[in-house]
């Protein structure tokens, strides 16, 4: 499955600005696909991503358990989280039958977004 197909599946759009270090995976599980998306961008570009996807800040995320509701083994996809970062968690305003959580490190330069989507 391509990145565009995965984004469409989860109702997401990439921002209309340059992103760096883009990595993604779509992993088939239990009759659906989990989306793993990670990229870095300037603060303005990260804001564009959050705005384009109508994401709202739902609170602080910790480096120990950045995703609620249980999560996959993030080490398997090469994701690590710094203990000293002030991560923020975002969720789309409208639920569309699939859940998406974006964890953003606003202290990194450039900022880093780790997005996990899963069927519910």
């Amino acid at each position: 499955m391509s990145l565009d197909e995965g984004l469409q599946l989860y109702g997401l759009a990439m921002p209309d600005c340059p992103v760096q270090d883009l990595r993604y995976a779509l992993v088939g599980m239990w009759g659906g696909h989990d989306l793993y998306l990670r990229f870095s961008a300037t603060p303005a570009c990260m804001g564009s991503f959050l705005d384009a996807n109508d994401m709202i800040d739902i609170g602080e995320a910790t480096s120990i358990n950045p995703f609620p509701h249980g999560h996959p083994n993030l080490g398997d996809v090469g994701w690590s989280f710094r203990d000293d970062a002030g991560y923020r968690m975002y969720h789309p305003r409208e639920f569309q039958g699939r859940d998406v959580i974006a964890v953003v490190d606003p202290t990194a330069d450039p900022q880093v977004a780790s997005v996990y989507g899963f069927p519910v």
Side-chain angles (χ1 to χ4, degrees):
M1 189 177 280
S2 72
L3 175 58
D4 287 339
E5 289 169 322
L7 292 172
Q8 183 177 358
L9 182 66
Y10 280 93
L12 295 173
M14 292 300 293
D16 289 332
C17 47
V19 300
Q20 297 84 40
D21 307 317
L22 175 68
R23 295 178 52 195
Y24 80 95
L26 288 143
V27 179
M29 299 180 78
W30 303 297
H33 285 86
D34 285 5
L35 169 69
Y36 300 86
L37 172 66
R38 194 170 225 198
F39 64 92
S40 56
T42 64
C45 189
M46 191 64 70
S48 286
F49 171 75
L50 297 171
D51 289 345
N53 293 292
D54 199 23
M55 291 199 169
I56 55 173
D57 187 330
I58 58 172
E60 185 177 8
T62 68
S63 62
I64 296 169
N65 187 19
F67 292 92
H69 324 330
H71 56 76
N73 184 350
L74 299 175
D76 288 350
V77 293
W79 290 5
S80 61
F81 296 86
R82 297 186 348 250
D83 290 336
D84 63 341
Y87 295 104
R88 300 303 302 172
M89 193 175 352
Y90 296 86
H91 190 274
R93 188 178 312 273
E94 299 278 331
F95 180 72
Q96 298 182 14
R98 297 180 183 275
D99 211 350
V100 176
I101 300 289
V103 174
V104 176
D105 179 355
T107 65
D109 183 23
Q111 293 184 353
V112 177
S114 302
V115 181
Y116 176 53
F118 52 98
V120 289

